[in-house]
Amino acid sequence: MEILDSRRLTGPGLLLDREGAVIDVALPPAQTEAAVAAWRGHARRLLDALGWSGEELAVRPFSGGVSLALSAPVDALYSATEINEWAWRAAAAELAGSPPPDLREGTALLRDAIEREENPALQALQAAAAARRVTLLADDDQVSVGLGKGSRTWPARSLPDPDTIDWSKIHDVPVALVTGTNGKSTTVRLLAAMARSGGWTVGTTSTDRIEVGDEVLDRGDYSGPGGARTLLRDRRVEMAILETARGGILRRGLALRTADAALVTNVAEDHLGDYGVLDLDGLAETKMVAPRAVRPGGRVVLNADDPQLVGRVAGLAAAITWFSLDPANPTVRAYLVAGGTACLLDEADLLLARGERRLRIARAEEVPIAFGGAARYNLANALAAMGLADALGLPAVAMAAGLRRFRPDPESNPGRANLMELGSIRVLVDYAHNPHGLAAVLAFAASLPAARRLVVLGQAGDRDDEAIRELARTAWSFRPDHVVLKELPSLLRGRPLGEISRVLADEMRRLGAPAEAVSRAEDDMDATRQALAWARPGDLLVLLTHTLREDVLALLGKLRREGWEAGAVVASS
């Protein structure tokens, strides 16, 4: 028995709907029941001794272990992790037949830790914000009340008396959470385009950047609660759209307890094995944390074509908007008969439906990211964005304008379905990094005429061998003429350099790929140069680009400006 991970929860997560601490413990199945009971007993006794009798305990078993969580005051989360670890050590000792740690000694030490960490001014401010139904966001450095243009922020250790705050100027702004396995970033940006068309100053977070209006505040992966807090404290923001990734939910929880709307784009196998989430059911459960945070009176947008989501709507406080590429989808049809709301693709029409009424927002050929309807996954993203836009009160005219203005280029949606003509070849740059996303991108690529086709393929090291092989099988189903297997040196995550490409190459050989049809590259840039060197007029290059996307797009842009043609040398710098 060992602790695999111990962490603070700064917001609602998989086990709790508020702040706390969680540990993941490796356990033989036969010992789980006794271990959980022992932990509960020791945790409750310790919490009572510390005066935390009102705190909750939560348990989530998984194959080979269990997650154990306890809620805690917002100003004592580091101490909460120590409390949880102490309770587990006591439980482990009990199971081993050894004397448990002394409760009085543990209580004294933990009370000292709590006293060093506690912040009475934060507690008072949290109570005042809750009484006025506005959001409080807290981290180690800053505390804020209200959101966006209605927010005020102070240093965490220099908080004002709540009675001195002009609360008439404090308010929240509309917030939408966007989660799912694939399509999150594109949908966030598409919804932002709709909101801007409606006259809103929009703030977004994504795996690429934090953005307010047309200004990029910072670049990097900001799909977790830290990025969300940064955005939500920007006083220019009138509406916030937050990409909400699985990792952030599991590691720290959501950035805020309630939202006005939430979307789950889809659920597919990816990143399994982290924090006790080992299968598709656990991943779907994680994604549904965001919808369960939507306030009563808000709205949840869900993919009716995804069985994992159709079966998980029980207990939602908010109403649902379904979206589907199939106008005959039985879930949607039954929901509309009952007077519900849905976004549908009916032949080439993108429709907003309420009961028997149908409102056409756009036609597929009017949506640039859909490439005339060939990129069906982006039609699904468009329908999802329409559902969120409706949930946030945006008018149909703003939805239509956003759909028409948002383009699949490196400026609007970098690295997502960026299709460009480069001399006499076509290049498609995309971020697809799991079999579900790759299959969607390759279905679109298969609709593009080409003399020959090449795919650049790679994977991060935190997937198991079978997941890596499945990615290879998906790529080979495209029947490419050549595959470049790239290394991702910054994403090895415990694997030795070269191991992932060897697994991919082995699966390609098993599927019948000739040795000369597979080559290897050091990174995204080396793979891109190899692809360009291989290309002949009329070819299509599918560049699945991850860690060096900006460099790849810059190189392609430079070559296009210079009039590069297939067969010409690509300079090394």
Side-chain angles (χ1 to χ4, degrees), residues 140-155:
D140 292 345
D141 301 316
Q142 293 182 310
V143 175
S144 57
V145 292
L147 300 175
K149 68 182 297 184
S151 67
R152 298 294 184 276
T153 304
W154 302 274

Side-chain angles (χ1 to χ4, degrees), residues 155-220:
R157 289 295 171 177
S158 300
L159 299 178
D161 185 316
D163 292 337
T164 66
I165 297 172
D166 183 355
W167 290 95
S168 67
K169 297 180 179 178
I170 306 297
H171 61 84
D172 289 346
V173 299
V175 176
L177 308 177
V178 177
T179 192
T181 301
N182 294 307
K184 298 185 294 296
S185 295
T186 295
T187 306
V188 163
R189 292 166 184 160
L190 184 52
L191 177 59
M194 294 177 179
R196 285 194 294 270
S197 295
W200 294 77
T201 299
V202 188
T204 63
T205 61
S206 68
T207 52
D208 297 317
R209 58 200 184 197
I210 303 174
E211 195 168 14
V212 177
D214 293 326
E215 180 185 348
V216 176
L217 304 187
D218 206 349
R219 297 186 186 276

Side-chain angles (χ1 to χ4, degrees), residues 466-486:
E466 177 54 29
I468 295 170
R469 290 180 180 276
E470 179 60 23
L471 191 72
R473 291 192 288 270
T474 303
W476 192 248
S477 69
F478 180 56
R479 295 293 180 260
D481 297 279
H482 196 85
V483 179
V484 181
L485 302 178
K486 64 177 181 179

Side-chain angles (χ1 to χ4, degrees), residues 498-522:
E499 180 178 314
I500 297 169
S501 62
R502 282 195 296 273
V503 174
L504 289 168
D506 180 70
E507 187 64 16
M508 292 281 183
R509 284 193 299 271
R510 193 189 69 79
L511 294 168
E516 64 273 14
V518 179
S519 60
R520 306 207 188 175
E522 295 178 359

Side-chain angles (χ1 to χ4, degrees), residues 213-258:
D214 293 326
E215 180 185 348
V216 176
L217 304 187
D218 206 349
R219 297 186 186 276
D221 187 348
Y222 286 102
S223 58
R229 286 192 294 267
T230 297
L231 177 74
L232 293 170
R233 287 170 176 155
D234 191 302
R235 295 184 62 194
R236 296 170 293 175
V237 173
E238 298 174 336
M239 179 184 291
I241 308 166
L242 310 176
E243 182 172 338
T244 305
R246 163 213 58 90
I249 294 172
L250 292 171
R251 190 177 301 112
R252 291 285 180 252
L254 299 177
L256 65 178
R257 291 192 183 184
T258 60

Side-chain angles (χ1 to χ4, degrees), residues 1 31 89-100:
M1 296 186 293
Q31 293 184 310
R89 287 195 299 272
E94 178 182 324
L95 293 174
S98 303

